[in-house]
Amino acid sequence: MGKLVVLTLLGAVLALIGERLVAFRQRTNASRAVEPVDLPNCHLIEGLENGSEDIDILPNGLAFISSGLKYPGMPNFAPDEPGQIFLMDLNEQNPRVQALNISDGFDKASFNPHGISTFIDKDHTVYLYVVNHPHMKSTVEEFKFEEQQRSLVHLKTIKHELLTSVNDIVVLGPEQFYATRDHYFTNFFLVLLEMIMDLRWTDVLFYSPREVKVVAKGFSSANGITVSLDKKYIYVADVLAQNVHVLNKHRNWDLTQVKVIQLGTLVDNLTVDPNTGDILAGCHPNAMKLLIYNSEDPPGSEVLRIQDVLSEKPKISTTYANNGSVLQGSSVASVYHGKLLIGTVFHKALYCLF
């Protein structure tokens, strides 16, 4: 009788795991092939060879680009090289990237930049906040941008017990930001279990020097985050749920859900078109190819535009799509005056005129 009970329980567990594995393949679009959508005036950006995971463009056309992310389970072509922040002036006729020098006293050897966000103070000083994973932990680094010297002065390392598995941030004031946590666990094998079982234990935090709190939860894997042009709404990408959450921002920094926009692709980082307010989403059309990398059949890239975000039926269109022959693993897209930058987790970056 005891053996029968054990076998019955074992069978039930195996059946559950099998069902979850099938569901996980579906959630990662493991069988999806990419239908190409090309833009006519594009070229790869020289000097960005090891990723361009996140991009933030200032109102004056200076673009910050994070590069060199080392993320568990993701490909990396330069595992021994530290990460960098690059700058690109989109006002130039033929813009090029330049690695920004970082001030002494900051541990550059373990720099592992992920999501980034800028904040411009009342005196027009530009601050760059960077999600960093030194030794696979999570911190947020605050830098002051010195435009004339093309350098970053490190001001502060922000740590907190809730700032674990941080993916992206959006800064709304001096040391005031929302941050997404893409996993509940930090152990790699528990993270895999978390994704396969679809536990939906990830969340969005609000951080300030006086208060740190969870303001939204229940995400499969909270990823990219940004703010609407009028600062009233926060947009959060749930990569494994293949959707974007629109959240109302309250005066006490709490968030309440307004709507969820389903995309049918695994959405990574989000940016907002400064002219239209549309959301641009860097996406992974088949994330299984990211997790199981094959250079002969690489992960593709996809950029979606979401128009009329607050309407009953937002318009979703594909701006760019590629099967990996040009660009692998797109993670972000950002626009400035008819110019489009598309970044990737670990591969190259694309510059387009449209």
Side-chain angles (χ1 to χ4, degrees):
M1 184 67 179
K3 290 182 179 179
L4 181 60
V5 171
V6 171
L7 289 174
T8 300
L9 290 174
L10 180 61
V13 169
L14 291 176
L16 175 62
I17 292 174
E19 185 272 332
R20 290 289 85 195
L21 285 172
V22 171
F24 181 66
R25 282 185 55 84
Q26 293 174 341
R27 286 187 291 120
T28 56
N29 285 351
S31 301
R32 184 186 172 195
V34 181
E35 294 293 332
V37 175
D38 294 322
L39 291 171
N41 299 303
C42 296
H43 67 263
L44 294 172
I45 301 172
E46 185 178 350
L48 289 176
E49 310 296 331
N50 301 316
S52 40
E53 204 280 337
D54 203 6
I55 298 170
D56 198 321
I57 304 176
L58 295 176
N60 65 3
L62 294 180
F64 294 94
I65 304 169
S66 68
S67 180
L69 174 65
K70 299 164 190 65
Y71 191 87
M74 292 290 144
N76 188 284
F77 295 152
D80 298 324
E81 295 182 16
Q84 293 179 291
I85 301 295
F86 287 88
L87 188 73
M88 190 173 187
D89 188 348
L90 297 178
N91 298 295
E92 297 176 357
Q93 186 171 356
N94 297 299
R96 298 183 178 185
V97 294
Q98 175 186 355
L100 292 176
N101 291 320
I102 299 177
S103 60
D104 293 336
F106 177 71
D107 184 5
K108 303 170 195 175
S110 67
F111 191 36
N112 189 11
H114 200 164
I116 61 175
S117 181
T118 55
F119 172 71
I120 303 175
D121 214 339
K122 293 179 181 179
D123 64 359
H124 306 295
T125 301
V126 175
Y127 297 92
L128 177 70
Y129 289 74
V130 181
V131 175
N132 187 22
H133 301 296
H135 313 293
M136 296 304 166
K137 299 185 182 298
S138 288
T139 63
V140 175
E141 311 293 345
E142 181 186 0
F143 299 95
K144 183 173 73 170
F145 174 53
E146 299 285 358
E147 184 172 351
Q148 297 300 320
Q149 291 79 19
R150 290 293 199 262
S151 66
L152 296 172
V153 177
H154 185 251
L155 300 178
K156 186 176 183 179
T157 296
I158 298 173
K159 299 179 182 179
H160 191 275
E161 60 183 8
L162 291 179
L163 289 173
T164 59
S165 300
V166 181
N167 185 296
D168 196 16
I169 56 174
V170 57
V171 182
L172 299 180
E175 294 186 40
Q176 294 175 319
F177 57 81
Y178 291 105
T180 57
R181 299 197 298 180
D182 55 15
H183 298 297
Y184 178 82
F185 296 109
T186 55
N187 177 275
F188 178 67
F189 295 103
L190 290 177
V191 167
L192 284 178
L193 180 64
E194 177 186 343
M195 291 192 299
I196 291 170
M197 298 304 293
D198 193 21
L199 296 179
R200 297 180 181 264
W201 287 356
T202 73
D203 48 40
V204 177
L205 300 173
F206 169 72
Y207 176 92
S208 74
R210 295 190 299 176
E211 182 182 30
V212 184
K213 60 182 178 179
V214 175
V215 290
K217 56 187 178 180
F219 301 91
S220 290
S221 184
N223 200 294
I225 186 168
T226 192
V227 63
S228 61
L229 291 182
D230 60 11
K231 311 298 183 186
K232 293 181 179 179
Y233 300 95
I234 298 295
Y235 305 139
V236 178
D238 190 340
V239 59
L240 286 174
Q242 303 185 14
N243 58 35
V244 172
H245 292 244
V246 179
L247 303 162
N248 191 19
K249 181 173 70 71
H250 300 281
R251 293 184 65 181
N252 65 353
W253 301 99
D254 285 350
L255 300 175
T256 54
Q257 185 164 285
V258 176
K259 65 190 303 181
V260 178
I261 304 173
Q262 294 294 334
L263 297 181
T265 187
L266 288 90
V267 57
D268 200 320
N269 287 319
L270 306 173
T271 64
V272 172
D273 187 323
N275 292 321
T276 64
D278 299 343
I279 297 174
L280 287 170
C283 305
H284 305 291
N286 183 333
M288 190 61 74
K289 292 184 179 182
L290 271 177
L291 298 172
I292 305 174
Y293 182 75
N294 177 3
S295 60
E296 300 299 318
D297 186 21
S301 293
E302 187 173 34
V303 174
L304 300 186
R305 177 181 286 269
I306 307 172
Q307 297 172 277
D308 304 321
V309 175
L310 296 176
S311 68
E312 290 188 10
K313 292 184 178 180
K315 181 182 178 183
I316 301 167
S317 57
T318 303
T319 298
Y320 176 83
N322 179 262
N323 63 4
S325 60
V326 176
L327 202 65
Q328 302 177 16
S330 58
S331 57
V332 64
S334 193
V335 295
Y336 175 78
H337 290 183
K339 300 171 183 179
L340 171 68
L341 296 180
I342 306 174
T344 65
V345 177
F346 64 92
H347 194 233
K348 302 179 180 182
L350 202 63
Y351 171 78
C352 301
L353 301 175
F354 67 98

